[in-house]
Amino acid sequence: MSNFYTHLGVLDQTWLDCREIVVYGLGVMALKSMESLRRDFEIPFIIDNDPKKAGTHYAGIPILTLEQAREKLPGKKIVIASTYGVSRAIAKTLDAIGFRETLDYCALDLFAAEWYWHNRREVHLVEVHTTITEQCTFNCKNCNMFMPYFESPRHLPVRELTDDFDLFFARVDWVSGFGLLGGEPFLHPELYEILTHLCGRYAGRIGEISIITNGTIVPDQRLLELMARHNVCVHISDYSKAVPYAEKQAQVVRALMDSGVDYRVNESLVWTDFGFPNHPWRLSKEQAAAHMQSCAPVFRGLNSGRLYFCHVVWAAQRCGLYEPAGADSLCLAAIDPSSDADRRALLEYSLGSMAGGSLSFCKFCGGCGSDNRNFVQPAIQAPRGVQMHIKEAGR
């Protein structure tokens, strides 16, 4: 994908009038979005590059390879439902066979933002994460939420979290994926109350509610029943190659299966060294803008009454590593839910439209985009009980 579109008005009227789309990519992002897409659009077929999916169906919709679908594509609107790095590779393939970005194809977050705003004046986001605890069962050296740097990690108060949910959904109509994370979210002693509020009030406006865990804690039976009842999906990040806990993770999986809780185990984890805070990147304003485009996180962060374009900024701030600047987050209370102008501004911020062209944090954080090739083994453990040493100030 050659460009990173950060504002509304990119797609022409043919997109805004369309009622039929082809979804390209049936991965985690697409699965979170398919409920709303199937409700509002005809989807004649899905394209996926995994040959194992070719010839199968999703909810009655045939899944084809690009080669199988190629003759059917002229005149169709193609919505790429993948993370930015995968989307870019798909876009290059489509470009090579004569399709044009924003005319024939576009990314899901842009399409959802444009179509629902134009046709229904609704704010639709792809993915939002809320951190519910700063405590974790691991102490990963390259944790993207900087957990080893928290001096006194705590569980976030239930009232603070539920107030954030209420602020957010007073201004946002739909989010395809809403994730609770940490730290280790199953450590939170009041997770049942948190989920009860989120599911009870807002499940009808969320494609998939998920809990992102490392699979070290078996949820109690009451929580398992609640998750099953509300179709909460547990995403297990498998770090057993670095930390010997495969037996415990297997216990978690058995408990989820026995209770009918949906789950996914992610073994294909790719981590990069962000550099920050010990050896931060030092980018100019112009370099930071290009760097943010390369990283382009699909998730937004919701914490402390603010919407963060990248939730990593919130974590860096909370553990005392960084003091954010203006564009690094958006105060939700300042967004008038009755104002189209304010809600549109929130939507454009979620697409990456902001003063300066990037987050201030992008000048220092290497992120996980294509321009950061500093790959590291996931879940290497730092010493317990001692806050990680910071060699130099991050800012």
Side-chain angles (χ1 to χ4, degrees), residues 37 147 210 313 345:
L37 294 177
M147 291 298 147
S210 63
V313 180

Side-chain angles (χ1 to χ4, degrees), residues 109-315:
D109 57 347
L110 178 63
F111 173 70
E114 291 262 28
W115 195 93
Y116 286 100
W117 182 255
H118 175 81
N119 288 292
R120 298 180 184 173
R121 280 298 182 266
E122 291 181 353
V123 175
H124 279 226
L125 305 186
V126 171
E127 187 163 358
V128 172
H129 293 168
T130 290
T131 300
I132 67 170
T133 181
E134 300 159 358
Q135 296 184 13
C136 192
T137 52
F138 289 163
N139 201 47
C140 301
K141 181 179 178 181
N142 292 102
C143 174
N144 71 351
M145 297 299 282
F146 306 114
M147 291 298 147
Y149 292 94
F150 281 82
E151 289 184 339
S152 301
R154 67 182 186 118
H155 303 304
L156 276 71
V158 174
R159 181 61 182 272
E160 179 180 329
L161 294 166
T162 57
D163 283 351
D164 282 347
F165 300 158
D166 295 343
L167 273 171
F168 177 80
F169 282 105
R171 293 152 180 83
V172 173
D173 298 285
W174 174 268
V175 58
S176 295
F178 197 104
L180 303 181
L181 69 158
E184 170 49 55
F186 284 120
L187 282 174
H188 201 299
E190 297 176 284
L191 178 54
Y192 185 92
E193 288 73 23
I194 296 166
L195 266 181
T196 296
H197 186 97
L198 180 63
C199 297
R201 294 194 182 192
Y202 304 116
R205 293 161 62 184
I206 303 171
E208 178 190 270
I209 297 173
S210 63
I211 295 176
I212 303 168
T213 175
N214 57 31
T216 54
I217 297 179
V218 180
D220 64 40
Q221 192 58 42
R222 188 173 74 134
L223 188 54
L224 287 165
E225 291 172 359
L226 177 69
M227 292 189 294
R229 188 160 63 249
H230 289 287
N231 300 313
V232 175
C233 185
V234 177
H235 292 244
I236 302 173
S237 299
D238 182 1
Y239 301 126
S240 59
K241 292 179 181 177
V243 185
Y245 75 109
E247 184 176 341
K248 174 59 72 174
Q249 186 185 114
Q251 292 176 17
V252 173
V253 169
R254 283 196 297 272
L256 297 174
M257 291 179 62
D258 291 346
S259 298
V261 178
D262 189 19
Y263 71 93
R264 301 183 190 123
V265 179
N266 184 5
E267 299 175 349
S268 304
L269 298 162
V270 178
W271 281 22
T272 55
D273 181 353
F274 286 1
F276 182 88
N278 286 308
H279 43 280
W281 290 33
R282 303 286 188 181
L283 302 181
S284 67
K285 177 180 176 181
E286 293 73 21
Q287 289 172 327
H291 177 52
M292 191 180 89
Q293 291 185 20
S294 174
C295 194
V298 296
F299 51 80
R300 304 291 162 257
L302 172 64
N303 275 107
S304 306
R306 307 185 75 88
L307 183 70
Y308 289 79
F309 184 79
C310 176
H311 68 180
V312 173
V313 180
W314 176 86

